[in-house]
């Protein structure tokens, strides 16, 4: 139960928990994306000329930094409310503003490069598949088999003719003759769902950071004017 004097810290508790939960959600999604079997497999196979490896690592570090910034902003805002500190409030506002400045370019990049992640991932599969089709390299065949097992798909529709020989050597036995298991389509569908979820989380994070900036601004002005009112009417004899 909150007393009248403790009302402000208690009201800030739900907001603090929401920001911490959002930060943990972003950190969890970044970790799953970076260390997930499908993403790690494609990243290890991709060549240096392919953009996927850069995107893969950049997204992970950006997500971790963003989550730490949001959690720190929530902790600073909570401490500022309890201690009524203008300095801590300003630091909380700075953290929210920093997160906002990172989220806006990320959302814009996703909007303007809506298919770059999907295209780069499918390019990796295309490269491995064609390498196996041309020279049946045992190393590339092992990589192609791992992709088929990870994405639960089998081969692709190739313009170069019959691909049964490649699929029979790299697909799981129960999927060699399956229809509708084109790996390019499976990869595209999987990534589209994943990136739509990432984009939704980015939108939620932008909304919360804007709310956080308004909240810390209101708190800073409240503390500032309250401290001025406490000094009002007090005199010092000289």
């Amino acid at each position: 139960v909150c007393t009248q004097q403790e009302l402000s810290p208690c009201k800030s508790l739900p907001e603090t928990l929401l920001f911490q939960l959002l930060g943990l959600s972003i950190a969890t999604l970044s970790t799953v994306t970076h260390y997930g079997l499908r993403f790690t497999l494609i990243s290890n196979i991709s060549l240096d000329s392919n953009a996927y490896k850069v995107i893969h690592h950049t997204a992970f570090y950006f997500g971790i930094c963003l989550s730490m910034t949001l959690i720190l902003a929530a902790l600073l805002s909570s401490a500022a409310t309890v201690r009524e500190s203008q300095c801590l409030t300003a630091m909380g506002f700075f953290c929210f503003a920093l997160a906002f400045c990172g989220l806006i370019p990320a959302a814009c990049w996703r909007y303007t490069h809506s298919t770059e992640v999907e295209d780069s991932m499918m390019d990796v599969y295309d490269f491995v598949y064609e390498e196996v089709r041309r020279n049946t390299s045992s190393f590339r065949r092992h990589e192609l088999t791992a992709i088929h097992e990870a994405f639960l798909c089998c081969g692709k529709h190739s313009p170069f003719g019959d691909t049964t020989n490649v699929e029979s050597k790299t697909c799981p036995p129960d999927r060699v003759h399956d229809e509708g298991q084109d790996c390019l389509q499976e990869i595209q569908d999987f990534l589209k769902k994943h990136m739509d979820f990432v984009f939704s989380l980015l939108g939620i994070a932008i909304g919360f950071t804007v709310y956080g900036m308004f909240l810390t601004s209101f708190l800073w002005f409240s503390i500032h004017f309250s401290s001025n009112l406490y000094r009002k009417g007090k005199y010092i004899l000289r």
Side-chain angles (χ1 to χ4, degrees):
V1 179
C2 298
T3 63
Q4 187 66 25
Q5 293 179 344
E6 298 172 334
L7 185 59
S8 180
C10 289
K11 288 177 69 176
S12 70
L13 183 61
E15 286 83 356
T16 302
L17 292 177
L18 283 175
F19 286 120
Q20 290 178 343
L21 181 61
L22 179 61
L24 290 174
S25 300
I26 294 174
T28 302
L29 180 62
S30 302
T31 304
V32 169
T33 302
H34 189 263
Y35 293 105
L37 174 61
R38 297 178 176 182
F39 298 103
T40 305
L41 180 62
I42 297 296
S43 179
N44 292 336
I45 296 174
S46 64
L47 301 176
D48 293 335
S49 57
N50 189 284
Y52 179 77
K53 186 174 290 187
V54 176
I55 297 172
H56 182 75
H57 292 291
T58 303
F60 172 70
Y61 293 118
F62 172 80
I64 295 299
C65 291
L66 177 62
S67 64
M68 292 175 62
T69 303
L70 288 174
I71 292 173
L72 179 61
L75 294 175
L76 288 173
S77 300
S78 179
T81 305
V82 174
R83 301 182 62 178
E84 297 186 357
S85 170
Q86 288 181 270
C87 180
L88 291 176
T89 306
M91 291 173 64
F93 177 86
F94 175 77
C95 288
F96 282 122
L98 186 64
F100 180 79
C101 291
L103 284 166
I104 292 299
C108 291
W109 183 90
R110 173 55 189 165
Y111 181 78
T112 56
H113 299 75
S114 57
T115 62
E116 184 166 341
V117 180
E118 292 91 331
D119 291 343
S120 61
M121 206 169 189
M122 289 189 291
D123 285 343
V124 174
Y125 179 81
D126 263 333
F127 169 76
V128 176
Y129 188 93
E130 294 304 322
E131 283 288 304
V132 174
R133 191 187 64 82
R134 283 197 296 264
N135 55 33
T136 62
S137 167
S138 59
F139 178 68
R140 293 300 181 188
R141 190 188 308 130
H142 175 73
E143 293 178 339
L144 187 61
T145 302
I147 294 175
H148 288 161
E149 292 176 351
F151 285 91
L152 302 178
C153 59
C154 181
K156 67 170 186 175
H157 300 295
S158 176
F160 298 103
D162 187 24
T163 59
T164 305
N165 187 41
V166 176
E167 295 174 359
S168 62
K169 294 181 178 179
T170 59
C171 293
D174 59 334
R175 294 187 178 272
V176 174
H177 301 292
D178 284 356
E179 295 183 359
Q181 294 296 323
D182 188 308
C183 277
L184 293 178
Q185 188 62 47
E186 291 291 324
I187 292 173
Q188 187 178 33
D189 293 343
F190 166 75
L191 270 180
K192 187 177 185 304
K193 293 177 183 177
H194 185 81
M195 295 306 294
D196 286 345
F197 181 75
V198 171
F199 192 69
S200 299
L201 190 60
L202 283 176
I204 294 172
I206 290 173
F208 270 93
T209 52
V210 172
Y211 172 71
M213 287 190 290
F214 277 111
L215 188 66
T216 49
S217 299
F218 176 78
L219 181 61
W220 189 91
F221 282 109
S222 297
I223 295 172
H224 176 73
F225 288 119
S226 295
S227 61
N228 287 341
L229 288 175
Y230 290 148
R231 291 193 295 268
K232 195 171 184 178
K234 295 184 178 180
Y235 303 91
I236 299 176
L237 297 177
R238 296 181 180 273

